[in-house]
Amino acid sequence: MTVRRGRARIVVVQVLVVALFATLCARLWYVQVVGGDEYQARAANNANRQVLVQPQRGLVVDAMGRPLAANKVTWVVTVDRSRLTRLESEEQSDVLGRLARLVDLDYDVLLDRIKLCGEQGAPEPPACWNGSPYEPVPVAQDVPRDVALSLSERAEEFPAVAAEQRSVRAYPRPEGVNAAQLLGYVTPITADEYDAARERDDESLNAASVVGRAGVERSYDADLRGVPGTTGKSVDSRGRVIAEGTAVDPQAGRTLVTSIDSRVQALAEGQLKKAIEKARTTHDDVTGRSYEATAAAAVVLDPDDGRVIAAASYPSYDPQVWVDGITNRQLESLYAEDSGTPLLSRVTQAQLAPGSTWKPFVAAGALEDRWDTGSRLDCSSGLQVGNRWFKNYESASYGPIGFDRALAASCDTFFYRIAYAAWTDQGGTDAKTGVHDPLVEMARAFGFSERTGIDIPGEAGGRLGDRQWRQDYWKANKDRYCAIARKPEKVESAYLRLFAREFCADGYVYRAGDAVNFSIGQGETLVTPLQLAVGYAALANGGTLYEPRVAKAVLDADGSVVREIAPERAGRVPVSKKHLRYIDGALLDTAKTGTMAWKMGGFPLDQVKVRSKTGTAEVTGRQTTGWVASYDENYVVVMMMEQAGTGSGSSGDAVRAIWEGLYGIEGGKVRRDRALMPRARPPVSLPRVADDGRILPPVTKRTKADADEEDDR
C-alpha cells in the first residue's frame, strides 16, 4: 500500500513538471513568435537614452562688437545627488571629503552647494542648489585639467562624482570694463521655474539650464539662452554605452547688440573711482572730517533716441563671482551696507535729492505759467519764509536778476521767490490736493516720479514731494505717530516725541517751506541719476522724452538681424521752443561763467558747447550729495556722488574728463581722431558677423565733413 502511494505521488509530480514545462514552452513561443516584434521594440527603447546637450548662451556685445558677456569651455565637477544618497552616510562623507580636498573647497561649502534650496539646513540661494533634484549639481567650475582627469581615472574612489567639459559664462572685460549692474548675471534654473516651463511646453528650458537674473541677462534671457539639443545613446544592462544613436544639435543663443561703448564705459568707471578716491582725502568743513564718498553713478545717453552709451555704478563687483560658484561670504558682501551694497545699481536704483540740477525744470514750469524771460527777482543772500531763514547755498547775493543768471549762478533765493508766489496763489496751507501747481506739473511732464522704462529690471521710480505725496504719507503713518503722541513717555528721544505730536496734528499740511525746498531739489523729492539724464536729454533734443534702451538689436548666428530694438518715445514736454532755447543758453553760461566755470577753464566751449548745471543736496545726518548734469547736441553726461561735497567740487573734474574723452580733447584742442566714439557720434549701423563667427565693428560711412576735417588737420 505504501509503495503504491509513493508511486502515485511521483506520477503527480511528473505530470506537474511536464505541465509547467509545456506552459513555459508555450510562453516562450508566444513571446518570440507572436509578440516578438512588440517586445523587441520595448527592449530597444529601454536600451536608448536621450542625453541633453546644453546650448551655448548668446553673446552680449557693445555697439562696436566688443564682447561684454561671452562663454568659455571649462572643466566642471558635478555631484549626482540621486546616486550619492544610495551610499551609506559614512561613505557619503568620505567621498565628499576627498572631493573637497581635491578641488580645494571647504567641506561645508561643498555640502551647502549640493543641498536643495528650502530643505532643512540649506543656506539661502544661490549658495544652495536651486535646480532639479535629479540633475547633477555643479560644485566646482574652471577646474584644472589634471584634476578633472584624476577624477575620471579614480572613478571607484568618487562614486556619484563626474568631471565634464561645459560652456560657462565669461566676462572678457574689453577696455577693462566692469558693467556688472548693466550686464547682470546667470544662475541655475529653479525647480519652480522648471515646472512652469514644462507646463507651457517651453523646450528652451530644462533642469540644467541657467537663467538670467539681472541686467540685460534677465531682460533678454529668452534670446540669449538658446535651445538644447539631444544625443541618443544605446546602453547595455549595466548602463555602459554600446552605440551612438540619433542626435539633435543644440541651437546657440542669439547675439545681443547693446548701445554701450566699452571705451566710454571704461572711462566713466575709471573717473568714478578716481573721484571717489579724491573725495575721501578732501576735508569737509561742515562735519570737520573727510568726505565719506560712499557711492557714485555716471550715465552717458544719446539725447536723440535715449540710447545708453555708458552707465557706471560705484561700488561694483566682479560678475565672474556668480560663474565660479558664489560662497556665503561673497553673497553677504554683495548685499552688505558695509561694502556699499554693490549689487545695487546707483544709475537706476539710487534715489536722492537732485539739488540745484532740478532748477531748469522749475524754470520751465514758471516760464510756461505766469513768468517770462524778462522777469527780474532779487537774488538776496537769504529769504525769510514763515519762521525759518532760507539761505543761498552756493550762490552769493547778486541783486535783481533773470532766470538765465539765476540758473548759471544757481541762485536759490530767486527760485524760493518763484515757488513762494506759486504756493500763495494756490491758497497756501488751505489748498487741497489736486490744485494746479505749475512747478509740480512740469516736473511730472519731464517724467519724474515715474520709471523711465529702461530695458533693465529693478528700476526705481523716485518721487515728487508735493501736496499729494505729503497727504498720502500722513495717512500711511499717522496711526504710528499718533500712538507715540498719546504715550510719549514710552519713547526716549525728545525729538521723536516732538515730531510725533506735530505730525499727528497736522502732518498733512503742505507749508511754504515745503514749496521753496521743492524749487531747489531739496526736501522730499527724490530722483535717480537715469531720470535726471532723461530729463536733460529732453532739454537737449528739443523736448522729446525717450524710454532709455541698452539693447539695440538681436542677431542670429549668421549675423542676420532677428529684430531691432527701436527707441520708444515717452512723450513731449509742454515747453515752447523759445523757452527751451532760453534755458539752453543759460546752461551754456553755467560752464562759461557760472558754478561749473572753475572746472572748465581751457575747455574749447566754442567747439564743444557743453551746457551744464551743478547741484548740491543737503541730507539730514549725512554729508552733501553732489551732482553735475551736462549735455550738448550729441551726448548727455550726468554724474552723482553721495556724501562727497558740492556738485562741481566732487564731480566737475570727472565730468570734464568724460567730455574730453568723447571728443578727443587734448590740451584744449579737439582731436576727433582721438575721440572714443566714431566721428564723435554714437554709431548708427550694427556690428557684423564674419564667416568664422567673429563679431566685427559696424561699417561707418566716411562723410564729406570727415574729409574736410582731415584736410583741416
Side-chain angles (χ1 to χ4, degrees):
M1 183 66 70
T2 303
V3 174
R4 290 178 181 176
R5 289 178 181 176
R7 288 177 179 175
R9 290 173 182 169
I10 292 173
V11 171
V12 170
V13 171
Q14 289 174 336
V15 170
L16 289 173
V17 170
V18 171
L20 289 172
F21 185 74
T23 302
L24 179 61
C25 290
R27 182 60 182 169
L28 288 173
W29 175 83
Y30 177 83
V31 169
Q32 293 181 3
V33 179
V34 179
D37 293 340
E38 178 185 353
Y39 285 105
Q40 186 175 5
R42 289 186 184 181
N45 187 56
N46 287 336
N48 290 329
R49 298 288 185 270
Q50 292 296 323
V51 179
L52 285 173
V53 180
Q54 298 303 322
Q56 279 206 352
R57 195 167 175 85
L59 302 178
V60 179
V61 302
D62 78 352
M64 298 301 291
R66 306 179 189 100
L68 298 171
N71 304 292
K72 65 177 181 180
V73 177
T74 183
W75 285 100
V76 177
V77 175
T78 64
V79 174
D80 188 331
R81 284 174 47 90
S82 58
R83 290 186 60 191
L84 186 68
T85 54
R86 297 174 196 163
L87 305 176
E88 297 293 335
S89 58
E90 185 176 341
E91 189 176 0
Q92 290 182 30
S93 299
D94 289 343
V95 170
L96 294 178
R98 288 194 296 271
L99 179 60
R101 290 190 294 273
L102 186 64
V103 299
D104 193 23
L105 196 64
D106 185 82
Y107 178 83
D108 290 334
V109 172
L110 174 61
L111 202 59
D112 284 343
R113 288 185 181 179
I114 64 174
K115 287 178 180 176
L116 289 176
C117 294
E119 74 177 4
Q120 187 175 3
E124 293 295 318
C128 56
W129 174 240
N130 218 8
S132 168
Y134 307 109
E135 187 73 20
V137 181
V139 295
Q141 304 196 65
D142 207 13
V143 174
R145 183 173 178 271
D146 58 338
V147 173
L149 293 178
S150 177
L151 276 171
S152 300
E153 294 168 354
R154 300 159 58 192
E156 69 284 352
E157 296 181 39
F158 296 96
V161 178
E164 59 188 40
Q165 284 190 307
R166 288 188 183 181
S167 175
V168 298
R169 214 52 167 158
Y171 299 94
R173 298 175 64 92
E175 310 295 330
V177 160
N178 175 264
Q181 293 82 6
L182 272 176
L183 295 174
Y185 57 93
V186 296
T187 63
I189 189 173
T190 67
D192 290 342
E193 288 170 334
Y194 176 55
D195 292 340
R198 293 182 64 183
E199 288 181 6
R200 63 177 183 267
D201 295 325
D202 186 350
E203 296 182 356
S204 67
L205 289 169
N206 57 73
S209 294
V210 294
V211 179
R213 298 300 180 194
V216 294
E217 291 276 26
R218 176 177 172 183
S219 299
Y220 297 95
D221 182 63
D223 294 299
L224 293 168
R225 74 169 74 116
V227 179
T230 57
T231 299
K233 295 181 183 295
S234 297
V235 299
D236 61 14
S237 58
R238 297 184 180 180
R240 296 175 298 190
V241 177
I242 57 176
E244 297 293 333
T246 305
V248 177
D249 292 334
Q251 298 176 26
R254 292 164 172 163
T255 295
L256 180 69
V257 179
T258 70
S259 54
I260 300 299
D261 185 277
S262 293
R263 296 199 292 176
V264 180
Q265 177 74 22
L267 175 62
E269 291 174 358
Q271 287 301 319
L272 274 189
K273 183 178 180 182
K274 185 177 179 180
I276 287 283
E277 292 172 349
K278 179 182 177 182
R280 288 175 177 173
T281 61
T282 302
H283 183 74
D284 177 9
D285 293 334
V286 176
T287 62
R289 63 179 190 274
S290 295
Y291 288 107
E292 294 184 23
T294 50
V299 56
V300 182
L301 295 184
D302 182 345
D304 288 339
D305 55 16
R307 295 200 186 279
V308 181
I309 298 168
S313 180
Y314 184 94
S316 191
Y317 67 95
D318 183 0
Q320 199 71 32
V321 71
W322 297 96
V323 177
D324 298 329
I326 194 166
T327 66
N328 284 332
R329 179 177 298 178
Q330 290 169 327
L331 186 63
E332 289 171 1
S333 177
L334 293 180
Y335 287 101
E337 292 186 8
D338 291 346
S339 57
T341 55
L343 271 184
L344 181 73
S345 169
R346 264 64 188 191
V347 172
T348 60
Q349 296 174 310
Q351 302 179 94
L352 304 135
S356 293
T357 58
W358 189 246
K359 291 173 181 175
F361 311 111
V362 174
L367 290 170
E368 292 297 324
D369 187 51
R370 56 176 284 191
W371 306 90
D372 58 50
T373 56
S375 299
R376 293 289 183 271
L377 293 172
D378 186 17
C379 178
S380 56
S381 60
L383 180 68
Q384 187 74 31
V385 178
N387 60 358
R388 180 179 169 189
W389 178 255
F390 286 81
K391 62 179 179 62
N392 272 337
Y393 182 78
E394 291 183 89
S395 177
S397 176
Y398 292 102
I401 59 174
F403 280 91
D404 51 355
R405 183 60 177 157
L407 286 170
S410 200
C411 178
D412 290 345
T413 52
F414 180 97
F415 288 94
Y416 291 157
R417 288 181 164 86
I418 293 289
Y420 185 75
W423 178 83
T424 302
D425 290 346
Q426 294 153 20
T429 56
D430 295 328
K432 305 296 182 183
T433 58
V435 67
H436 170 59
D437 188 332
L439 308 186
V440 170
E441 290 165 12
M442 183 58 72
R444 204 177 300 279
F446 270 89
F448 295 106
S449 81
E450 299 289 340
R451 295 181 178 90
T452 66
I454 189 172
D455 53 343
I456 290 179
E459 181 187 11
R463 73 180 183 218
L464 293 178
D466 59 357
R467 283 184 173 83
Q468 186 62 59
W469 177 85
R470 182 163 292 281
Q471 183 84 350
D472 294 342
Y473 182 79
W474 179 75
K475 287 181 178 179
N477 294 277
K478 65 176 181 178
D479 291 344
R480 175 194 170 198
Y481 288 111
C482 287
I484 296 174
R486 285 192 297 269
K487 296 182 178 180
E489 66 278 2
K490 293 188 175 182
V491 178
E492 293 183 5
S493 171
Y495 170 80
L496 182 56
R497 291 196 297 268
L498 176 62
F499 178 83
R501 185 171 67 251
E502 294 178 351
F503 184 90
C504 179
D506 59 2
Y508 57 88
V509 176
Y510 188 73
R511 296 179 174 83
D514 299 318
V516 300
N517 265 334
F518 177 88
S519 71
I520 63 164
Q522 293 280 179
E524 305 297 344
T525 294
L526 302 176
V527 305
T528 67
L530 181 64
Q531 285 179 317
L532 197 65
V534 169
Y536 273 81
L539 294 176
N541 65 32
T544 301
L545 283 174
Y546 286 98
E547 292 184 358
R549 290 287 178 269
V550 174
K552 287 184 72 174
V554 177
L555 307 182
D556 230 331
D558 60 359
S560 58
V561 179
V562 177
R563 73 177 188 279
E564 290 198 41
I565 301 164
E568 293 284 341
R569 292 193 177 192
R572 283 194 61 82
V573 297
V575 187
S576 68
K577 291 183 178 179
K578 172 187 174 182
H579 289 152
L580 284 173
R581 286 195 298 270
Y582 179 81
I583 293 171
D584 185 84
L587 297 181
L588 184 58
D589 285 341
T590 304
K592 291 180 177 179
T593 62
T595 55
M596 189 65 177
W598 70 296
K599 291 294 184 181
M600 299 297 281
F603 189 93
L605 288 169
D606 57 330
Q607 298 179 66
V608 181
K609 296 179 170 59
V610 177
R611 292 79 162 172
S612 60
K613 187 72 196 76
T614 62
T616 306
E618 296 178 276
V619 184
T620 302
R622 291 165 62 88
Q623 294 169 306
T624 54
T625 293
W627 294 84
V628 172
S630 58
Y631 67 89
D632 74 347
E633 65 275 13
N634 296 324
Y635 305 103
V636 175
V637 179
V638 170
M639 183 174 287
M640 174 279 298
M641 292 184 63
E642 292 185 49
Q643 303 198 83
T646 65
S648 56
S650 63
S651 303
D653 292 333
V655 169
R656 174 175 176 154
I658 292 174
W659 282 106
E660 289 174 340
L662 289 170
Y663 285 97
I665 298 171
E666 295 180 0
K669 295 182 179 180
V670 178
R671 298 287 303 274
R672 292 187 184 270
D673 60 321
R674 306 275 181 95
L676 296 181
M677 302 286 285
R679 297 185 319 225
R681 282 286 298 133
V684 177
S685 53
L686 298 172
R688 301 160 292 145
V689 178
D691 292 338
D692 60 3
R694 289 179 299 118
I695 309 293
L696 304 177
V699 175
T700 56
K701 295 181 179 179
R702 186 172 178 272
T703 65
K704 184 178 183 300
D706 295 331
D708 292 342
E709 187 174 312
E710 290 175 9
D711 291 340
D712 292 340
R713 291 198 298 269

